[in-house]
Amino acid sequence: MSAEKRVSIAYAWDTPEYQLRVKKLAAALEANGIEVRFDQWDAEPGQSLNYFMERLMLDEQLNNVLLLLSPIYKIKADQALGGVGRETQYARDKIMRDVKQTRFIPVLFAVVSPAA
């Protein structure tokens, strides 16, 4: 029997439509047998989201952390802003220490505009 797959999703809060798209990705992963740790489902009311994110970054039970890249994520990562800034610094440090690591997976997840 294979080990259970567990992932977390790191992303920048963007428009409500983008947040819904992220939620749909999380639901699709769960529907395909992957346990997802996700702020929209797992953060307790009143809990610091920074604390929640930091715990996920350190959680050894997670196989992967999906870093959903978008224009807003890039701005926050480049400027080390908020939770995205902290997540990026942590992931960057881990990747630089072990370039063969497979825990952090960047996913291009930009908002796609409808055709004009």
Side-chain angles (χ1 to χ4, degrees), residues 1-6 33-35 61 63:
M1 180 177 238
S2 64
E4 186 172 349
K5 288 287 194 179
R6 293 182 182 96
I34 299 171
E35 181 182 329
Q61 293 182 359
N63 303 100

Short mmCIF file of all heavy atoms in Angstrom, two decimals, residues 1-6 33-35 61 63:
data_model
loop_
_atom_site.label_atom_id
_atom_site.label_comp_id
_atom_site.label_asym_id
_atom_site.label_seq_id
_atom_site.Cartn_x
_atom_site.Cartn_y
_atom_site.Cartn_z
N MET A 1 0.85 -1.18 0.00
CA MET A 1 0.00 0.00 0.00
C MET A 1 0.89 1.24 0.00
O MET A 1 1.86 1.32 0.73
CB MET A 1 -0.89 -0.02 1.24
CG MET A 1 -1.82 1.17 1.34
SD MET A 1 -2.90 1.02 2.78
CE MET A 1 -4.44 1.09 1.95
N SER A 2 0.55 2.23 -0.84
CA SER A 2 1.36 3.44 -0.93
C SER A 2 1.05 4.39 0.22
O SER A 2 -0.04 4.37 0.79
CB SER A 2 1.10 4.14 -2.27
OG SER A 2 -0.23 4.57 -2.34
N ALA A 3 2.04 5.22 0.54
CA ALA A 3 1.86 6.19 1.61
C ALA A 3 0.86 7.26 1.18
O ALA A 3 0.75 7.58 0.00
CB ALA A 3 3.21 6.84 1.93
N GLU A 4 0.16 7.77 2.16
CA GLU A 4 -0.82 8.81 1.87
C GLU A 4 -0.10 10.08 1.44
O GLU A 4 0.92 10.45 2.00
CB GLU A 4 -1.66 9.08 3.12
CG GLU A 4 -2.79 10.04 2.88
CD GLU A 4 -3.72 10.14 4.07
OE1 GLU A 4 -3.61 9.33 5.00
OE2 GLU A 4 -4.55 11.04 4.05
N LYS A 5 -0.63 10.75 0.43
CA LYS A 5 -0.07 12.01 -0.05
C LYS A 5 -0.73 13.16 0.67
O LYS A 5 -1.95 13.23 0.77
CB LYS A 5 -0.29 12.17 -1.56
CG LYS A 5 0.56 11.26 -2.38
CD LYS A 5 1.98 11.75 -2.34
CE LYS A 5 2.83 11.10 -3.39
NZ LYS A 5 4.18 11.60 -3.35
N ARG A 6 0.10 14.08 1.18
CA ARG A 6 -0.39 15.27 1.87
C ARG A 6 0.34 16.48 1.33
O ARG A 6 1.57 16.48 1.25
CB ARG A 6 -0.13 15.17 3.37
CG ARG A 6 -0.91 14.10 4.07
CD ARG A 6 -0.60 14.13 5.57
NE ARG A 6 -1.30 13.07 6.25
CZ ARG A 6 -0.78 11.89 6.55
NH1 ARG A 6 0.47 11.62 6.23
NH2 ARG A 6 -1.49 10.98 7.17
N GLY A 33 -7.59 11.91 -4.12
CA GLY A 33 -6.92 11.16 -3.07
C GLY A 33 -5.75 11.84 -2.39
O GLY A 33 -4.97 11.18 -1.70
N ILE A 34 -5.59 13.14 -2.59
CA ILE A 34 -4.48 13.87 -1.96
C ILE A 34 -5.06 14.72 -0.83
O ILE A 34 -5.95 15.54 -1.05
CB ILE A 34 -3.75 14.75 -2.99
CG1 ILE A 34 -3.16 13.87 -4.09
CG2 ILE A 34 -2.68 15.59 -2.30
CD1 ILE A 34 -2.60 14.64 -5.26
N GLU A 35 -4.56 14.51 0.38
CA GLU A 35 -5.01 15.31 1.52
C GLU A 35 -4.41 16.71 1.39
O GLU A 35 -3.21 16.86 1.20
CB GLU A 35 -4.56 14.67 2.83
CG GLU A 35 -5.01 15.43 4.05
CD GLU A 35 -4.51 14.81 5.34
OE1 GLU A 35 -4.34 13.57 5.38
OE2 GLU A 35 -4.29 15.56 6.29
N GLN A 61 4.90 16.05 8.01
CA GLN A 61 3.94 15.07 7.49
C GLN A 61 3.50 15.43 6.07
O GLN A 61 2.91 14.61 5.38
CB GLN A 61 2.73 14.95 8.40
CG GLN A 61 3.07 14.35 9.74
CD GLN A 61 1.85 14.20 10.62
OE1 GLN A 61 0.74 14.55 10.26
NE2 GLN A 61 2.06 13.69 11.81
N ASN A 63 4.01 15.99 2.19
CA ASN A 63 4.93 15.57 1.15
C ASN A 63 5.42 16.76 0.34
O ASN A 63 6.58 16.82 -0.04
CB ASN A 63 4.26 14.58 0.19
CG ASN A 63 3.73 13.37 0.91
OD1 ASN A 63 2.54 13.29 1.18
ND2 ASN A 63 4.59 12.43 1.24
#
